């Protein structure tokens, strides 16, 4: 159960107020409260006593200059505003003054013996983490002091005592009691939970900075009432999650927070997975945009999504969406071996969650997915299908059971993914709950889904996060919120100024722009082409082609050529010349081909052998290659691979070629195909996609479910290949895949040497 004690469910409901005030009154009657006059910071400019969060200054412990009035973000020590050196009012920027005021305190020294007994007993039985025990013991060891539980504020829960009409309860006395209020809003018999320590086990999760409030102050509050309460037994405490090498700070606006996460366009399941897989259970961890992308691309997309989509797609396309039967003999040994691998891992997963080791739990779930990927790859159901469909059925029955199991295992971490997978499996969530009986089936995976069960059409679960997206997000959330706001305002002001300066140009009469000198009009397209070439050269490492051969540039060139001229100098589209078009000539094939979806079936992929490769005479970054693909003569290909693969290693290399791109002129050398290569996430490594060793030059490379005949030539205007490449990735098993399904010849899948989760083009 989770809730926010500051919500209307607690502070703004009569019941919540009565519960809080009731506990206060019980403590008062039990003699656990004392009244003292203290000095507190007062802002003369604002005309009020300052809440802790409205005071900043230098920490007396570590000298951090931006400590808050209640806690130092640098050393983690809890503070009082009066402890700060050179305090400042955050509201006005002025220096506050000390004024005396009367407050109520919880008598922690009086409660210490009872509290220490609780801590000693429960920390052992509940298996408190080391960081939790250390923080708690440091409070007890140093000797407890009375703790102020009221504040001079207007907003909050009123203190039910005469003379305290202008005061409210302190948030860390108020908020934990809100847990009880929230429960009462869910169930009427709240006492069955909160006053039933014999039958109820209370587990709490928090960051280490909130530990003392839950292991010292809240238990002391409940113990002080003398009533029978359910006290916290188990607690899961995390260290700090930092942001790009510095500390998250909500008050200073450093980092990315919940409202920002929704704006990024990154799916919720990616956020949940990354934060839980990166959970700082033993030591501080660091949030990095590049790491978030790497975990999404390498682990979610290339591992979990790859296995689930491969299995579902195979059953949907090859078995008409019907889960096959597991044969009594055929494939039984392999399936049993898979169960003997998965079953113990599931047992370990359950033990991890019982011990509140959430990070270990999701790591184990992903390891189970990796086992599934390896099983699928080792037993090659696409080959088994051709030789023995019953054998293939045994493999697929086990894989479908493993997909169902994985959907249940990831539910605590990514419930949205569980919902999507179970919709594709066409099963109810109730049938896959992690009961003892269900968990036993992890040793016999083919027993999880019944033979003949109809699945729904598979869909891709995860998307790739690009390097460009990472850089944009890093820049977008750089610095503090105030700095980002200033930069945004400056950019808006600059844009406004630029727009104002540009207004006179709008007054130029239409048609005057066209009265340029003919030579100027003719020269403009060449300048545009040169600029495009320069821009493209900067990214040729990712595309492995020279600028002229990149699909986007080739498309632009093809468009201009088909139109009989280059783009007009004023940026408008050129007038298309009338002419008789040859059948299929540069159009990407027949009308029928153009009407098909833009998927991998449109692309003519073939096995090639690079007979020889040499440096391009006019471009230092390019190779010219002579590639055998089973035709009468080798094809000449130009690739931008000089930076990544030595010339000696390019000789006699097996490769996969895109053979139906429109030929492109690359710095005076015509390229008649494109070599497929994978690029690592950091862009530093590039490897050729290699076909199986037994494949012959010219063999077709296809993807299961996409075996239609490719276009004779891809129409550059339609940008078919550009639409296909975002779904070309390498998997965790180093397979070249389209939408998680391997690119394969009749001899097996295509692979790369080491790159996982990389892009292919």
């Amino acid at each position: 159960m989770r809730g926010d004690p500051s919500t209307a469910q607690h502070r703004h409901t009569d019941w919540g107020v009565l519960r809080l005030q009731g506990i206060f009154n019980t403590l008062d009657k039990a003699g656990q409260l004392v009244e003292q006059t203290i000095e507190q910071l007062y802002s003369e400019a604002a005309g009020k006593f300052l809440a802790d969060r409205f005071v900043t200054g230098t920490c007396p412990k570590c000298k951090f200059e931006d400590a808050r009035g209640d806690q130092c973000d640098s050393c983690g020590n809890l503070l009082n505003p009066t402890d700060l050196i050179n305090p400042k009012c955050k509201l006005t920027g002025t220096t506050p003054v000390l004024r005396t005021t009367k407050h109520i305190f919880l008598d922690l020294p009086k409660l210490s013996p009872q509290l220490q007994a609780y801590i000693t007993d429960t920390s052992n039985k509940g298996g408190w983490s080391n960081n939790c025990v250390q923080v708690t013991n440091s409070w007890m060891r140093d000797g407890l002091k009375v703790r102020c539980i009221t504040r001079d504020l207007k907003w909050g829960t009123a203190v039910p005592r005469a003379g305290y009409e202008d005061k409210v309860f302190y948030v860390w006395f108020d908020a934990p009691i809100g847990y009880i209020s929230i429960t009462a809003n869910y169930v009427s018999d709240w006492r069955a939970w909160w006053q039933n320590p014999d039958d109820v086990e209370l587990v709490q999760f928090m960051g280490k900075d909130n530990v003392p409030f839950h292991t010292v102050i809240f238990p002391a509050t409940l113990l002080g009432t003398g009533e029978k309460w359910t006290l916290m037994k188990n607690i899961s405490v995390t260290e700090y999650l930092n942001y790009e090498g510095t500390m998250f700070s909500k008050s200073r606006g450093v980092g990315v927070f919940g409202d920002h996460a929704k704006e990024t366009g990154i799916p919720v399941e990616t956020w949940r997975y990354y934060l839980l897989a990166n959970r700082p259970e033993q030591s501080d961890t660091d949030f990095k945009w590049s790491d978030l992308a790497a975990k999404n691309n390498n682990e979610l997309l290339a591992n979990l999504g790859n296995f689930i989509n491969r299995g579902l797609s195979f059953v949907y396309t090859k078995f008409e969406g019907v889960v096959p039967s597991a044969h009594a003999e055929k494939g039984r040994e392999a399936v049993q071996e898979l169960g003997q691998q998965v079953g113990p891992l599931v047992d370990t997963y359950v033990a991890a969650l019982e011990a509140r080791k959430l990070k270990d739990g999701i790591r184990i779930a992903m390891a189970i997915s990796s086992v599934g990927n390896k099983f699928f790859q080792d037993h090659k159901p696409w080959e088994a299908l051709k030789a023995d469909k019953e054998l293939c059925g045994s493999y697929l029955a086990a894989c479908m059971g493993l997909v169902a199991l994985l959907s249940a295992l990831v539910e605590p971490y990514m419930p949205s993914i569980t919902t999507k997978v179970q919709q594709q499996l066409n099963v109810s969530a109730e049938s896959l709950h992690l009961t003892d009986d269900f968990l036993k089936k992890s040793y016999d995976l083919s027993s999880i889904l019944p033979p003949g069960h109809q699945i729904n059409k598979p869909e891709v679960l995860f998307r790739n996060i690009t390097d460009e997206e990472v850089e944009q997000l890093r820049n977008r959330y750089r610095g503090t919120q105030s700095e980002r706001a200033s930069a945004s305002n400056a950019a808006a002001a600059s844009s406004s100024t630029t727009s104002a300066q540009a207004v006179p140009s709008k007054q130029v009469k239409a048609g005057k722009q066209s009265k340029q000198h003919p030579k100027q009009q003719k020269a403009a397209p060449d300048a545009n082409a040169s600029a495009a070439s320069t821009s493209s050269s900067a990214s040729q490492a990712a595309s492995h082609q020279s600028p002229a051969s990149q699909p986007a540039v080739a498309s632009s060139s093809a468009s201009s050529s088909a139109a009989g001229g280059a783009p007009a100098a004023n940026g408008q589209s050129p007038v298309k010349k009338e002419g008789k078009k040859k059948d299929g000539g540069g159009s990407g094939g027949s009308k029928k081909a153009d009407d098909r979806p833009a998927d991998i079936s449109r692309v003519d992929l073939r096995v090639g052998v690079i007979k020889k490769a040499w440096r391009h005479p006019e471009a230092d970054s390019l190779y010219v290659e002579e590639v055998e693909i089973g035709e009468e003569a080798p094809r000449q290909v130009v690739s931008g691979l000089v930076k990544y693969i030595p010339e000696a290693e390019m000789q006699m290399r097996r490769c996969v070629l895109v053979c139906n791109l429109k030929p492109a002129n690359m710095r005076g050398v015509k390229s008649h195909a494109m070599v497929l290569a994978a690029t690592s996430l950091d862009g530093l490594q590039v490897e050729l996609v290699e076909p199986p060793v037994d494949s012959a030059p010219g063999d077709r490379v296809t993807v299961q479910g996409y075996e239609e005949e490719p276009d004779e030539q891809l129409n550059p205007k339609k940008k078919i290949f550009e639409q296909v490449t975002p779904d070309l990735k390498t998997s965790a098993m180093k397979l070249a895949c389209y939408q998680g399904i391997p690119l394969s010849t009749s001899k097996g899948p295509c692979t790369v040497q080491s790159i996982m989760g990389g892009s292919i083009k």
Side-chain angles (χ1 to χ4, degrees):
M1 183 178 295
R2 188 207 181 282
D4 181 356
S6 66
T7 64
Q9 291 177 311
H10 171 55
R11 290 184 178 167
H12 299 289
T13 62
D14 291 340
W15 196 98
V17 171
L18 290 173
R19 184 70 263 160
L20 173 61
Q21 293 179 340
I23 289 177
F24 169 81
N25 288 330
T26 302
L27 287 168
D28 198 15
K29 290 176 183 178
Q32 307 293 357
L33 303 178
V34 294
E35 187 176 80
Q36 293 183 1
T37 298
I38 62 171
E39 289 186 320
Q40 192 171 335
L41 294 176
Y42 182 88
S43 172
E44 294 179 323
K48 62 181 181 181
F49 284 100
L50 294 174
D52 298 352
R53 67 183 182 279
F54 293 141
V55 183
T56 60
T58 301
C59 174
K61 308 279 187 181
C62 70
K63 307 307 181 210
F64 178 58
E65 295 182 353
D66 196 21
R68 303 194 311 268
D70 58 348
Q71 189 171 30
C72 175
D73 282 340
S74 178
C75 66
N77 277 293
L78 298 180
L79 303 170
N80 289 312
T82 52
D83 295 334
L84 294 175
I85 302 169
N86 299 323
K88 294 290 182 184
C89 170
K90 286 187 68 175
L91 300 175
T92 64
T94 59
T95 301
V97 298
L98 285 173
R99 286 193 181 182
T100 58
T101 180
K102 184 171 59 176
H103 281 290
I104 299 170
F105 293 74
L106 179 64
D107 194 348
L108 289 177
K110 185 177 179 180
L111 290 164
S112 286
Q114 193 177 359
L115 180 62
Q116 183 63 68
Y118 157 76
I119 292 170
T120 301
D121 180 62
T122 308
S123 62
N124 289 324
K125 291 181 179 178
W128 292 7
S129 60
N130 290 334
N131 50 6
C132 175
V133 172
Q134 289 172 3
V135 171
T136 303
N137 286 345
S138 68
W139 269 58
M140 303 303 294
R141 182 182 60 249
D142 296 341
L144 297 178
K145 300 176 178 62
V146 293
R147 186 76 181 176
C148 185
I149 63 170
T150 55
R151 289 291 188 270
D152 288 292
L153 300 172
K154 299 295 184 183
W155 187 88
T157 303
V159 180
R161 178 182 285 194
Y164 283 78
E165 291 81 4
D166 293 332
K167 302 179 191 293
V168 297
F169 284 113
Y170 173 49
V171 64
W172 277 116
F173 177 73
D174 180 337
I177 296 172
Y179 302 147
I180 304 170
S181 303
I182 290 168
T183 307
N185 277 272
Y186 283 110
V187 294
S188 58
D189 190 11
W190 62 270
R191 287 183 175 84
W193 296 91
W194 279 100
Q195 292 188 329
N196 187 11
D198 295 332
D199 298 325
V200 176
E201 185 174 310
L202 176 60
V203 181
Q204 295 184 311
F205 297 81
M206 69 199 63
K208 66 180 179 182
D209 51 336
N210 289 334
V211 165
F213 304 114
H214 294 83
T215 62
V216 177
I217 296 174
F218 186 39
T221 298
L222 297 180
L223 289 169
T225 65
E227 298 175 348
K228 188 177 183 180
W229 290 98
T230 302
L231 300 180
M232 182 270 293
K233 179 182 178 183
N234 296 311
I235 185 170
S236 178
V237 175
T238 59
E239 301 293 318
Y240 291 127
L241 176 67
N242 297 317
Y243 179 76
E244 294 281 357
T246 187
M247 291 191 70
F248 268 97
S249 175
K250 186 70 174 176
S251 60
R252 295 194 303 277
V254 176
V256 58
F257 300 94
D259 52 342
H260 303 143
K262 293 190 297 184
E263 301 168 356
T264 62
I266 294 175
V268 62
E269 48 265 21
T270 298
W271 282 109
R272 289 181 61 92
Y273 175 77
Y274 178 72
L275 293 174
L276 288 164
N278 206 33
R279 190 170 186 255
E281 294 181 354
Q282 301 297 328
S283 60
D284 291 356
T285 58
D286 203 25
F287 175 98
K288 290 184 180 295
W289 289 107
S290 58
D291 188 38
L292 181 144
K295 281 187 166 56
N296 175 84
N297 298 344
N298 290 345
E299 298 172 18
L300 291 179
L301 179 62
N303 180 4
L304 182 65
N306 179 49
F307 172 69
I308 291 174
N309 191 261
R310 288 175 81 186
L312 290 173
S313 297
F314 197 97
V315 170
Y316 191 79
T317 58
K318 303 303 181 184
F319 286 82
E320 299 181 344
V322 176
V323 176
S325 300
H327 196 273
E329 296 179 0
K330 296 177 181 179
R332 190 61 186 166
E333 184 178 346
V335 170
Q336 286 177 337
E337 184 180 342
L338 177 64
Q340 291 305 311
Q341 287 182 274
V342 171
L345 285 172
V346 171
D347 294 340
T348 307
Y349 165 91
V350 172
L353 291 195
E354 291 287 355
R356 302 165 305 285
K357 295 180 178 179
L358 306 185
K359 191 174 182 178
D360 283 351
I362 190 59
R363 177 184 58 79
I364 295 165
M366 298 302 285
I368 292 171
S369 176
S370 293
V371 169
N373 268 311
K374 188 175 187 305
F375 177 85
F376 199 94
Q377 188 57 35
D378 287 349
H379 294 284
K380 299 178 174 59
W382 55 92
E383 290 186 4
L385 180 65
K386 299 174 183 177
D388 189 334
K389 192 168 185 177
E390 289 181 332
L391 174 64
C392 182
S394 292
Y395 295 153
L396 268 296
C399 287
M400 289 299 93
L402 185 50
V403 168
L405 175 64
L406 282 168
S407 76
L409 296 179
V410 303
E411 184 173 20
Y413 301 90
M414 298 176 286
S416 57
I417 287 299
T418 295
T419 298
K420 291 176 183 177
V421 174
Q422 292 178 355
Q423 286 173 348
Q424 294 178 34
L425 282 171
N426 191 27
V427 296
S428 65
E430 292 76 15
S431 66
L432 299 181
H433 282 167
L434 294 178
T435 62
D436 290 343
D437 288 340
F438 179 78
L439 291 171
K440 290 177 183 176
K441 294 181 180 180
S442 63
Y443 286 84
D444 184 13
L445 294 164
S446 56
S447 67
I448 293 178
L449 292 179
H453 176 77
Q454 180 74 51
I455 68 170
N456 293 321
K457 183 179 180 180
E459 300 289 344
V460 175
L461 296 173
F462 304 102
R463 71 170 181 85
N464 187 60
I465 298 176
T466 65
D467 293 344
E468 292 78 12
E469 197 173 353
V470 167
E471 192 60 29
Q472 289 172 0
L473 289 168
R474 185 185 289 115
N475 291 332
R476 183 176 178 181
Y477 296 104
R478 191 187 302 277
T480 66
Q481 286 180 335
S482 59
E483 290 170 347
R484 295 196 292 265
S486 297
S488 177
N489 292 336
S494 175
S495 175
S496 176
T497 302
T498 302
S499 298
Q501 293 173 344
V503 167
S505 66
K506 295 181 180 179
Q507 298 173 1
V508 178
K509 291 183 179 180
K512 288 205 172 185
Q513 282 183 316
S514 64
K515 294 183 179 179
Q516 295 177 334
H517 192 280
K519 290 185 178 180
Q520 291 176 323
Q521 289 183 328
K522 186 175 181 180
D526 293 335
N528 291 339
S530 176
S533 176
T534 302
S535 173
S536 299
S537 295
S539 62
Q540 65 181 274
S543 65
H544 325 302
Q545 301 182 73
S546 73
S549 74
Q550 290 185 19
V553 179
S555 174
S556 174
S557 174
S559 298
S560 300
S561 176
N570 62 7
Q572 297 176 356
S573 299
V575 177
K576 194 169 184 178
K577 291 185 179 181
E578 295 295 334
K580 194 172 183 178
K581 188 165 62 176
K582 296 179 181 179
D583 292 341
S587 66
S590 66
K591 181 69 167 62
K592 180 180 179 182
D594 279 347
D595 289 341
R596 285 163 52 193
D599 59 40
I600 195 70
S601 69
R602 305 279 297 272
V603 182
D604 186 4
L605 298 176
R606 297 190 224 168
V607 173
V609 176
I610 301 173
K611 292 295 186 179
K612 58 181 178 179
W614 62 95
R615 295 292 187 96
H616 192 297
E618 301 296 333
D620 293 338
S621 62
L622 304 179
Y623 284 129
V624 181
E625 301 129 7
E626 188 178 280
V627 187
E628 173 64 48
I629 61 167
E631 296 176 336
E632 291 184 5
R635 289 204 187 189
Q636 181 174 270
V637 179
V638 181
S639 302
L641 295 167
V642 169
K643 181 180 176 182
Y644 303 98
I645 303 177
E647 186 174 338
E649 294 181 14
M650 289 292 291
Q651 312 304 321
M652 299 304 296
R653 284 291 298 273
R654 304 177 67 80
C655 63
V656 174
L657 288 182
V658 181
C659 293
N660 60 341
L661 293 172
K662 184 178 181 180
N665 193 316
M666 298 182 171
R667 304 288 293 272
V669 177
K670 183 162 284 191
S671 181
H672 296 271
M674 186 179 77
V675 176
L676 278 189
T679 305
S680 62
L681 291 169
D682 57 13
L684 300 177
Q685 190 177 2
V686 174
E687 297 173 352
L688 293 183
V689 173
E690 298 184 85
V693 292
D694 295 336
S695 298
D699 282 358
R700 281 285 310 280
V701 176
T702 60
V703 175
Q704 295 167 18
Y706 299 91
E707 292 93 349
E708 295 180 61
E709 285 297 312
D711 292 11
E712 182 178 345
Q713 184 180 93
L714 292 175
N715 186 343
K717 293 182 180 180
K718 299 290 185 179
K719 297 186 182 295
I720 304 299
F721 190 66
E722 291 88 333
Q723 295 179 63
V724 169
T725 50
D727 289 322
L728 287 171
K729 307 289 177 187
T730 58
S731 73
M733 305 299 293
K734 293 171 284 192
L735 302 176
C737 297
Y738 173 74
Q739 295 185 353
I741 308 172
L743 277 61
S744 303
T745 71
S746 60
K747 303 299 183 181
C750 300
T751 60
V752 293
Q753 291 181 352
S754 64
I755 295 173
M756 296 184 291
S759 58
I760 298 175
K761 52 187 173 183

